[in-house]
Amino acid sequence: MFGPARARLALPSSLAHSPAPQTGRQIDRRAFLHGLAVASSGLVLGGGLTACTSGQSSPTGAGEPRRGGRLRAVVSGASSSDDTLHPFVAGSWGAGIVMKNLFDKLCAYKDDLTVTNRLAESIEPNSDGSLWTVRLRDGVEWHDGKPLSADDLMYSVRYLLDPKSSFTGAKDLAMVDVDGLRKVDRRTVAVPMRRPIADLPSLLAGWYVYVIQDGTTAFDNDHPPVGTGPFRFDRWSPGDRVRLTRNDSYWESGRPYLDELEIIFITKADTRLNALLGGDADVAHELAWAQAAAQERTGRVQVVTSPVGRMQSFNMMVDQKPFTDPHVREALKLAVDRQEIVDTAYSGYADVGNDLYGLGAPLYNDDLPQRRYDPDKAKSLLRKAGKERLTVTLHTSDVTPGMLEAATLYAEQAKRAGITIKLEKSPADSYWSEVWAKKPFAQSGWGNYALDWFYGQTLLSTSDSNETGWRRRDWDKRFFAARATMDPGLRAQRYADLQQELWQDGGYIIHSFVKWIDGAHHKVGGVRGAPPASDGWGSYRDVWLGA
Amino acid sequence: MTGHAHPLLTACTRRLLAAAGVTGAATVLVFAGTELLPGDAAEVILARSAGGAGGTPEQIAALRAELGLDRPWAQRYVDWLAGIVDGDLGRSLVSGRPVTDIVAQRLGNTLLLAGLAAVLLVPVAIGLGVWSGLRQGRFADRVTSAVAIGLQSLPEFVAATGLIAVFALGWKLLPPVSLIPDGTSPLARPETLVLPVASLLTVMAGQSIRMVRARTGEVVRAEYVRMARLHGIPERRLVRRYVVPSAVTPALQLLAGSISWLIGGVVVVEQVFAYPGISHELVAAVSSRDVPVVQALATAMAACGILVYTVADLLAIVLVPKLRTGGH
């Protein structure tokens, strides 16, 4: 048909996104999906071995770090009507990249999801975690030349937590007692807590928690954002691109290397790859898995993958029938062949999940046995519960790549356990508002950060995003106790117990952690795979353009 | 208007009035349709973020009141209409930016892309259609028809992907994406227009060629053409004088139909090439229930579609005198 295998490079991912058939034809579909993955790996010609680079810089043709040049990065973004430059609102991946290059946080996640200080020189608790003291670095300047001070930090915390604004990021810091904020000196702020917490930095490193300049409320072309970050704001074309230029007085010496950074929003993964291959971009973020496999083989571009992935789950609401029955929950957890989902839906670019959040993060419980695909055991559990020939409806949608495929595979796998999973597909535009966290059996995916952050968002009786209906007062109490435990060993033990209960009894079937894949030209240096929630993903302060 | 208006003028006026009426009806339908979708902008704004979490009922109610979504929809429609009359399309519910800013340039880009495809479609369809129709049943006609049917059955994204694979990634003749910096016209980088226009033509030409070909076949076999042949009128003149005019007039309507079908194709092609048109805006606005933006874009698209049909109708009236007296 077309010339050498290149036709495969631009295989539209939409091919794999047709509505899932409800009956009979699922076998063909599964074979087709499988075939798709195999074809994309088998059909590609070309030499060039690219080592699988996970979490480290790949050897490139970029040479030693050097200054200068304009780098163009493509990333999925927002449309011009819902695009924003407001750091507390910017939720899309593209807007997130813009923010992390314009602004700084007090501290940030490293690639291994531990936390390192950025604008903060120190973040220290008192003996019981009820009062934290943040001391800022000396000599940091805003883009307009003003020095960074405690006033800026006080303002940022108050503005983020202002109940009138209802910013999403406010939920992460709900334990902060805003009224009690106190300025100690020019660089130091005392931050009291409503509830004691042993690890505040892991929350301060959250997606939205940027330090902004005292008194700023508007961020657009008329009110250019002023940050402390490695790049200054130049121009914004909503829904299209943002142009940034080098901040010559950045506090990290010698950084950044680039003169200019242009972040361009492109919705489709295939189109992002085409932009990279065609020379219209130097870096393409979030490549599709099947295509990434092909690109790794041809070696035309660098391909880097994140060391930890994004959690993908089927969510049972434990307070709704039939999921109130622990036998049913266990059977459904045993009826999923995780490895097949990883190999087929994600072309192998994922780790198998064990129904727990935070794989690869500190405090994650590695000691629990990995749940395996065991349809026979699932069958006997259901027999014991008198629920043979169980039929459940799984709500799915094409909201994130791979979600529909995972649901389709699961429905097929569960048949061997005698379970009928009916797939109910909703339109992507109403899934999050109408289906998710409302229907008893649905799907979601979350960025992989600190356990504290996720538990506060989804597993407390009071959590807004309690998508598994997990409301246990006793578990809440133990969580608050664990979160306030200052002794690291004891804290790890308490978190392990909390996870033991979730693993045994919870409503999450966390089947995989999907890796993020970025591609870059060989002349680009300093690109590495990093978790999307971390500081490293999409940070351009360490990236240079080779000669 | 006088009582003795020129019949042509009357016919044209009627058509234009009807077109305006249909456009008005379309705006009501779009507004009502957006209302029928589950959820509204307030819920979407509160549910949408990387860490996704919905708002509390109180927050949603407060935001609804702030956005004016708590008023009955008929009242909101009337307000919107009043705004249109003043040339004010309102503001996006999501970002608060004026809708005119969001729509203006991108709509121009989309019209440029669709316009180029349409302008090129007409000669291609008529030329190849007539040529093939005159050779009905012969080898050349069979090949043309087979290729036309084949192309017509391709989805746009497959055609686009094939073209990208061959001309952009294979031979590196043309850019595989149409990235055009904000504020510059695509005409400043004409090479970025080639593949999107070619993708649209690839899919649309097949259908149009077959329409014209079928019509030509009918005319060629018609009584009066056979009589003309028997009178020894040269074939070339016959085609120019009789076949082309009578084949093209009805084909105009059909072409108009395929040009409004082009709007659907443009949406797909814009996404594949990341072309800065309105389709991404429209999709995003529908999913975030951003009613003012949806209204503006859908109305513009409906108006364009209706305009094309009306122009085709008027051309037919001018070309075929019989139609002017219709209804008298």
Side-chain angles (χ1 to χ4, degrees):
Chain A
M1 192 168 139
F2 305 117
R6 291 243 171 75
R8 297 227 59 91
L9 305 185
L11 180 79
S13 52
S14 36
L15 267 186
H17 284 213
S18 50
Q22 299 288 312
T23 50
R25 293 191 28 237
Q26 295 185 349
I27 296 270
D28 311 343
R29 184 177 160 72
R30 188 167 160 195
F32 166 68
L33 283 174
H34 212 86
L36 199 70
V38 171
S40 63
S41 47
L43 266 181
V44 177
L45 314 168
L49 271 173
T50 313
C52 180
T53 52
S54 194
Q56 66 213 17
S57 294
S58 56
T60 69
E64 287 301 298
R66 57 190 284 278
R67 282 203 144 194
R70 179 171 72 105
L71 186 138
R72 298 152 306 161
V74 290
V75 58
S76 75
S79 71
S80 75
S81 61
D82 60 9
D83 206 354
T84 177
L85 287 180
H86 196 307
F88 297 166
V89 182
S92 73
W93 298 114
I97 289 190
V98 173
M99 291 305 139
K100 63 176 60 174
N101 289 292
L102 271 177
F103 294 92
D104 282 310
K105 293 171 185 164
L106 288 170
C107 54
Y109 290 110
K110 291 195 295 198
D111 292 358
D112 62 359
L113 297 181
T114 57
V115 174
T116 178
N117 284 338
R118 299 286 302 155
L119 284 182
E121 187 177 273
S122 66
I123 307 176
E124 295 296 333
N126 61 355
S127 61
D128 68 349
S130 60
L131 178 75
W132 283 75
T133 306
V134 180
R135 185 161 175 79
L136 294 165
R137 263 171 208 284
D138 202 8
V140 177
E141 268 182 23
W142 293 98
H143 295 158
D144 61 6
K146 289 183 190 158
L148 171 75
S149 81
D151 296 329
D152 298 312
L153 177 56
M154 304 261 289
Y155 174 79
S156 302
V157 175
R158 284 186 182 138
Y159 182 34
L160 178 64
L161 295 177
D162 178 8
K164 278 206 299 294
S165 310
S166 63
F167 292 123
T168 311
K171 295 193 182 80
D172 301 348
L173 297 180
M175 73 297 301
V176 171
D177 172 17
V178 185
D179 304 331
L181 276 186
R182 203 164 44 80
K183 182 171 164 180
V184 178
D185 64 32
R186 189 175 56 84
R187 287 200 283 138
T188 317
V189 177
V191 187
M193 300 290 138
R194 292 178 207 276
R195 284 178 185 275
I197 182 165
D199 184 11
L200 183 64
S202 72
L203 296 174
L204 291 175
W207 180 264
Y208 292 101
V209 192
Y210 291 100
V211 180
I212 58 173
Q213 199 173 39
D214 189 6
T216 46
T217 52
F219 303 86
D220 52 42
N221 281 324
D222 301 332
H223 312 84
V226 173
T228 55
F231 293 90
R232 294 163 187 273
F233 176 77
D234 177 24
R235 196 161 157 270
W236 175 42
S237 314
D240 173 38
R241 67 190 64 199
V242 176
R243 282 199 195 86
L244 307 176
T245 56
R246 192 197 358 235
N247 172 11
D248 282 318
S249 47
Y250 191 50
W251 54 268
E252 259 189 308
S253 67
R255 305 282 196 281
Y257 300 115
L258 301 166
D259 287 339
E260 279 179 68
L261 173 62
E262 196 165 31
I263 295 152
I264 303 168
F265 305 131
I266 295 181
T267 319
K268 287 174 72 85
D270 320 303
T271 311
R272 289 196 292 274
L273 177 62
N274 286 341
L276 178 68
L277 295 175
D280 286 277
D282 307 300
V283 177
H285 291 283
E286 306 161 82
L287 299 183
W289 305 291
Q291 296 175 348
Q295 289 308 323
E296 287 213 51
R297 263 176 229 91
T298 62
R300 284 175 67 179
V301 290
Q302 303 176 57
V303 176
V304 294
T305 54
S306 64
V308 295
R310 217 171 155 254
M311 163 198 137
Q312 304 292 321
S313 64
F314 305 119
N315 311 332
M316 305 176 280
M317 289 198 137
V318 299
D319 54 357
Q320 300 199 35
K321 281 188 173 158
F323 309 108
T324 45
D325 183 340
H327 291 302
V328 169
R329 297 203 291 271
E330 184 66 19
L332 282 162
K333 288 174 186 174
L334 294 169
V336 54
D337 184 345
R338 296 146 204 263
Q339 193 61 50
E340 190 186 36
I341 291 179
V342 165
D343 292 344
T344 309
Y346 306 120
S347 304
Y349 287 99
D351 295 317
V352 164
N354 193 24
D355 303 331
L356 290 172
Y357 176 84
L359 180 68
L363 301 171
Y364 179 80
N365 188 341
D366 280 313
D367 301 335
L368 292 166
Q370 170 66 50
R371 267 205 185 86
R372 303 205 176 283
Y373 182 45
D374 194 344
D376 300 334
K377 192 172 166 196
K379 222 179 225 165
S380 67
L381 277 171
L382 289 173
R383 204 173 304 129
K384 224 181 288 176
K387 293 210 169 65
E388 280 158 293
R389 290 201 299 280
L390 175 74
T391 299
V392 290
T393 300
L394 175 62
H395 291 266
T396 185
S397 177
D398 198 1
V399 283
T400 49
M403 196 186 249
L404 210 52
E405 290 84 340
T408 311
L409 288 163
Y410 184 27
E412 197 56 44
Q413 294 158 359
K415 279 183 190 164
R416 284 186 48 198
I419 303 170
T420 307
I421 296 180
K422 289 192 187 139
L423 295 181
E424 173 116 7
K425 184 171 178 261
S426 330
D429 59 11
S430 57
Y431 180 80
W432 294 120
S433 54
E434 305 295 315
V435 177
W436 169 79
K438 292 190 170 70
K439 300 288 184 198
F441 198 22
Q443 285 172 281
S444 66
W446 291 80
N448 207 17
Y449 318 158
L451 271 52
D452 269 4
W453 174 83
F454 182 75
Y455 290 173
Q457 288 269 355
T458 63
L459 286 162
L460 294 177
S461 305
T462 52
S463 298
D464 288 335
S465 306
N466 197 321
E467 51 190 353
T468 54
W470 178 263
R471 292 184 180 84
R472 297 193 174 180
R473 297 270 170 233
D474 172 60
W475 194 90
D476 289 357
K477 246 203 316 270
R478 284 164 42 221
F479 169 64
F480 289 127
R483 199 168 69 170
T485 306
M486 301 305 281
D487 174 69
L490 182 59
R491 199 154 131 254
Q493 182 50 53
R494 288 182 167 170
Y495 272 91
D497 293 346
L498 287 169
Q499 290 173 85
Q500 169 81 37
E501 186 177 342
L502 287 174
W503 184 83
Q504 202 100 45
D505 238 7
Y508 277 113
I509 303 173
I510 297 173
H511 53 81
S512 28
F513 285 84
V514 182
K515 309 247 178 185
W516 277 52
I517 305 167
D518 297 333
H521 268 286
H522 289 296
K523 65 176 180 181
V524 181
V527 176
R528 64 175 203 275
S534 74
D535 184 47
W537 184 77
S539 274
Y540 279 91
R541 59 176 186 267
D542 297 328
V543 173
W544 70 92
L545 277 168
Chain B
M1 295 228 341
T2 62
H4 304 287
H6 191 285
L8 182 58
L9 198 65
T10 319
C12 289
T13 314
R14 265 215 203 123
R15 281 272 156 218
L16 289 172
L17 283 174
V22 174
T23 312
T27 64
V28 179
L29 281 178
V30 172
F31 207 95
T34 328
E35 284 300 313
L36 290 175
L37 290 172
D40 66 6
E43 285 177 26
V44 172
I45 291 169
L46 290 172
R48 190 207 56 200
S49 65
T56 60
E58 299 79 43
Q59 283 176 330
I60 292 175
L63 186 58
R64 258 185 207 137
E66 195 183 320
L67 297 173
L69 293 173
D70 50 349
R71 296 170 307 147
W73 79 271
Q75 193 187 339
R76 276 185 285 136
Y77 176 75
V78 172
D79 289 351
W80 177 78
L81 214 55
I84 294 268
V85 175
D86 300 340
D88 173 19
L89 295 178
R91 286 175 172 274
S92 157
L93 295 179
V94 181
S95 68
R97 293 175 59 230
V99 174
T100 34
D101 287 8
I102 294 171
V103 174
Q105 195 198 347
R106 288 171 175 263
L107 184 62
N109 290 347
T110 294
L111 290 177
L112 176 70
L113 179 62
L116 276 173
V119 164
L120 291 170
L121 175 71
V122 173
V124 166
I126 290 177
L128 280 172
V130 170
W131 183 79
S132 188
L134 291 173
R135 285 164 185 67
Q136 276 203 356
R138 292 193 226 160
F139 178 70
D141 168 53
R142 287 217 186 108
V143 172
T144 313
S145 298
V147 170
I149 292 173
L151 292 179
Q152 192 190 325
S153 55
L154 280 183
E156 285 89 352
F157 70 84
V158 173
T161 304
L163 288 168
I164 290 172
V166 175
F167 294 101
L169 301 178
W171 291 341
K172 298 197 190 298
L173 295 173
L174 293 158
V177 289
S178 306
L179 292 176
I180 295 142
D182 196 35
T184 51
S185 164
L187 290 169
R189 288 190 66 197
E191 71 278 11
T192 59
L193 281 162
V194 179
L195 287 180
V197 169
S199 309
L200 286 170
L201 273 181
T202 305
V203 178
M204 289 178 55
Q207 188 188 22
S208 321
I209 290 169
R210 291 180 52 233
M211 288 181 200
V212 178
R213 170 187 171 274
R215 181 64 208 165
T216 309
E218 283 170 32
V219 176
V220 169
R221 285 192 297 273
E223 198 68 32
Y224 64 94
V225 176
R226 271 199 299 201
M227 287 308 290
R229 265 213 197 92
L230 292 173
H231 280 90
I233 296 177
E235 192 68 19
R236 184 176 299 191
R237 192 162 152 225
L238 202 91
V239 169
R240 215 177 44 233
R241 283 291 305 277
Y242 298 102
V243 178
V244 174
S246 41
V248 165
T249 315
L252 266 178
Q253 298 301 82
L254 297 172
L255 279 180
S258 63
I259 285 172
S260 67
W261 180 69
L262 174 92
I263 292 174
V266 165
V267 170
V268 177
V269 167
E270 281 185 359
Q271 297 265 346
V272 172
F273 289 95
Y275 181 87
I278 57 167
S279 61
H280 175 48
E281 276 330 297
L282 184 63
V283 171
V286 169
S287 62
S288 60
R289 308 287 182 263
D290 196 343
V291 182
V293 179
V294 175
Q295 275 296 98
L297 293 174
T299 306
M301 284 163 106
C304 290
I306 292 161
L307 184 75
V308 170
Y309 271 113
T310 310
V311 168
D313 276 357
L314 294 178
L315 273 177
I317 290 174
V318 172
L319 291 174
V320 185
K322 193 172 63 173
L323 294 174
R324 291 175 213 169
T325 54
H328 282 293

